[in-house]
Amino acid sequence: MNPVLQKRKTIRKKISDMAILISSSSLLLASFVGLFGMMSIRSRSTQALIRQTEENLMSLITHKAEVAQGDIERITDFAEMFSDYAHRLYVNKNHYKPHPVLPPNPENAGKYAIQRCLAGESYKIESFREEMNLLGNLEEIYSTVIKVTGDIGMNIYAGSESGFLIGYDRDSGYDEGEEEPSGEDYYNYFQSEWYKKAKSSESIGFTDVYSDSIGRGLMISCYAPFYNEKDIFAGAFCLDLHIDKLYQTLVDMTGFTDSYAFLIDKQGNTITSGESKNIFKTSTIDSAITGKLRSLNMGVELAEDGNYYAYAPIMKTEWVLCLCIPKKSVLTPIFDMNRHILYAIIVFVLFLVLVLLVVMLVTRRFSISLTRPLEVLTKDVQEISRGNLDQKAQIFDNDEIGDVANGINAMALSLKDYIASLTSVTAEKEKISTELNVANQVQQIYTKMMNSLSGDKNAEKEADQS
């Protein structure tokens, strides 16, 4: 392509464009690598935090389930201790003094006291007084256990096959304003779940959660059979636990915003403070999680309802301890991290734009400082080219441009000397040429004169000869 036809681009523009292109490319490449690294770190950190959070939830629920299991085992240990102690009473009845057990007394309301209750009006105290007074020695161990448990709302009963029940609780057995004419209280415990299960299973266990008939709220009972000196079933112990107290002990672990915990029994009923409902029938939890809860599995799951469920079984009672946490609460640290990374990216981009502006400004100043001597040199050369050999090219720095300026000045000086010399030689040549012309003219005149003289002499000779 003809250079004349190309669009003119100054050196300053070329330098500026090149510097901006190089710096921008370098910065953009570095920025891309940095942003890619930050996004990669963000993605990996998010996954790592989610895994860590789920592991923490699993550790938390497992620990709580173990604590709950320990609390439940402590209750069963008490039940086993009562059973063993009652058996020793029967075996060593002669070693214990009779401990009379009185009927319910309204004055005992609100405090722990040992009291009796009959299975029905047909049962007469005279038929089992000796056995009842023997089991009255349970008061000592009853009171010790209540002190150890720290008053978690537990009531203790021992129902015998003979038809009497020895209780240690804070209820007098009377409703307020009501008193039995005989002074006795009657309760057919033979039909109670705890007694029938203790007798049939011959082992320690727990009843289902139930609502207490005298308005104490949700209850659960631990039962244990006891045997007489002949190892014949003599009755059963019942340890009534108020769910309110037990619930607070087991599920008080709300470490996340808007989270809540609950227990689920083997029928699928939630065990919460003051109410019970079947979670498998009324819950919005997806079937996959409810299936695992029903199977007494442990794990951490994100359900379709947007909540995390961490669950672990309490094998003694076949309960499942479950912690429900909204996804946003679990992922709050992750959201915070992502927000900080986003802020860092924004700051990084703004810093990049600022750097590019600075680079453009510095490049412009640099290109000006670099091309200004060339512009001045161009003007000086143009002046010299117009014949002003006295014009001197300015020298700014001792660099290549300065060398060119020195060369131009030397060239102008040489050209001036050459022109002066050439002018002198030309003048000399013109003088010689003039002299030669004069000599030539003189010679021509002389030649003509000589030729003229020579012709006259020849004519005279011819005349003489004639």
Side-chain angles (χ1 to χ4, degrees), residues 11 28 31 48 65 69 73 108 110 114 125 162-164 171 188 222 253 256 274 278 288 314 363 373 376 422 441 464:
I11 294 177
L28 289 175
S31 301
Q69 181 77 9
E73 288 179 351
N108 292 330
I114 190 167
I125 295 178
S162 302
F164 66 88
D171 300 308
N188 186 8
C222 176
M253 57 180 178
F256 297 88
N278 193 299
I314 304 173
T363 300
V376 174
L422 182 60
Q441 291 176 2
D464 288 340

Side-chain angles (χ1 to χ4, degrees), residues 399-447:
D399 54 12
E400 287 79 359
I401 298 177
D403 293 341
V404 172
N406 282 323
I408 290 175
N409 289 335
M411 182 186 67
L413 181 61
S414 298
L415 184 59
K416 183 177 180 180
D417 292 341
Y418 174 76
I419 291 174
S421 176
L422 182 60
T423 301
S424 175
V425 171
T426 301
E428 185 68 25
K429 285 183 178 181
E430 289 179 352
K431 180 180 178 182
I432 293 172
S433 178
T434 301
E435 291 177 352
L436 289 175
N437 289 332
V438 171
N440 187 34
Q441 291 176 2
V442 171
Q443 184 180 6
Q444 289 178 357
I445 294 172
Y446 179 75
T447 299

